[in-house]
Amino acid sequence: GVDYVLDPGMDSAGSLEVSYANTPTLTADGLAGISRDRITIIDCKGTCGASEPADSVVGATGVGWWAERYAASWYTDSPHYDQETALDTTAPPAITTHVRSWTGFTSAAVEAGSALVAESQWDYSWEQLLRFKDLSFTGAGTFKLCFCDSEHLGADTGCSGISQFTVEVGTVHVSGVACLLQETKYQRSTCVSQLFGGLRCYQAPLAAPRLNAPTSAEAPAAEGGAGTPAAPAEGA
């Protein structure tokens, strides 16, 4: 599986990225990044699909908290005025749409000999990659990352129960990059810097997937889509 490396501490927000280079896609609508898939974190000796979420993630209050934590998405459902009811004659407040620009990848130096793969990065999730951000841990530890694949659920069923998070994606090491890479087995890993903090690392024979990151020219149109492009919502 994948090894994730995050810094410990309530003030050290990181992220976890789930990638899939083949079909089917991880999102329902390509670049918009809307997905019913979810993740959860359990203790290292637990079993995905059976164990309760770990209590070491800041703010986490059980599987229901994870069920509401969606991947960073390009679209958000903006407020609107119902045209079928009588409107107030006063002018409505202006609604400003904020579009985050596409950014190129910038990497930090990683010591201990591990290769750091440079990828062009899209700020949001897309069909090959889900970004779950703003995750902080109360302290150091080792955990498992479990995944709920909505492809195996009914059309009207969401990831809401422990038994649905059956896919073990990898191991989450909350100890800091410098500490982890002092271990011999990680010194020849290939690591990818996650856009919103942390690393995902691959040990041979497992290789970092080659993802086709979107470019600014492929960005969804600002109008006429299923929603309005905006910065990812808090908690996304």
Side-chain angles (χ1 to χ4, degrees):
V2 183
D3 285 293
Y4 295 88
V5 187
L6 281 74
D7 288 322
M10 299 177 65
D11 297 327
S12 299
S15 64
L16 294 168
E17 296 177 346
V18 178
S19 61
Y20 195 77
N22 304 311
T23 56
T25 67
L26 291 170
T27 58
D29 51 1
L31 298 185
I34 300 173
S35 175
R36 294 193 301 135
D37 298 339
R38 297 291 187 269
I39 62 169
T40 187
I41 299 292
I42 65 172
D43 290 330
C44 63
K45 294 184 179 180
T47 301
C48 291
S51 301
E52 292 279 350
D55 57 6
S56 300
V57 179
V58 176
T61 55
V63 70
W65 184 87
W66 290 102
E68 296 177 357
R69 198 168 190 86
Y70 52 88
S73 170
W74 172 271
Y75 282 122
T76 187
D77 189 11
S78 299
H80 64 280
Y81 291 90
D82 190 346
Q83 299 299 315
E84 297 180 355
T85 58
L87 296 177
D88 194 329
T89 55
T90 59
I95 299 176
T96 302
T97 298
H98 171 66
V99 182
R100 289 189 67 185
S101 61
W102 175 85
T103 58
F105 171 85
T106 55
S107 63
V110 177
E111 299 177 354
S114 290
L116 184 65
V117 176
E119 293 181 340
S120 293
Q121 298 287 12
W122 174 254
D123 277 8
Y124 312 94
S125 302
W126 76 95
E127 60 264 31
Q128 292 184 322
L129 187 74
L130 297 180
R131 303 185 192 279
F132 296 90
K133 63 173 192 169
D134 297 333
L135 298 173
S136 300
F137 290 77
T138 56
T142 304
F143 308 89
K144 286 182 180 178
L145 173 60
C146 303
F147 182 71
C148 171
D149 186 352
S150 62
E151 284 287 320
H152 299 294
L153 304 178
D156 298 323
T157 305
C159 297
S160 58
I162 292 173
S163 62
Q164 296 169 327
F165 293 81
T166 56
V167 181
E168 184 177 328
V169 179
T171 303
V172 181
H173 305 271
V174 184
S175 61
V177 176
C179 293
L180 186 70
L181 294 183
Q182 288 176 2
E183 298 185 29
T184 303
K185 66 177 181 178
Y186 293 113
Q187 291 179 3
R188 295 183 180 178
S189 299
T190 298
C191 295
V192 179
S193 183
Q194 301 178 124
L195 184 63
F196 294 108
L199 298 174
R200 48 185 168 90
C201 299
Y202 304 83
Q203 299 179 54
L206 191 64
R210 295 183 177 275
L211 306 179
N212 299 316
T215 67
S216 55
E218 299 174 282
E223 297 180 357
T228 304
E234 290 296 325

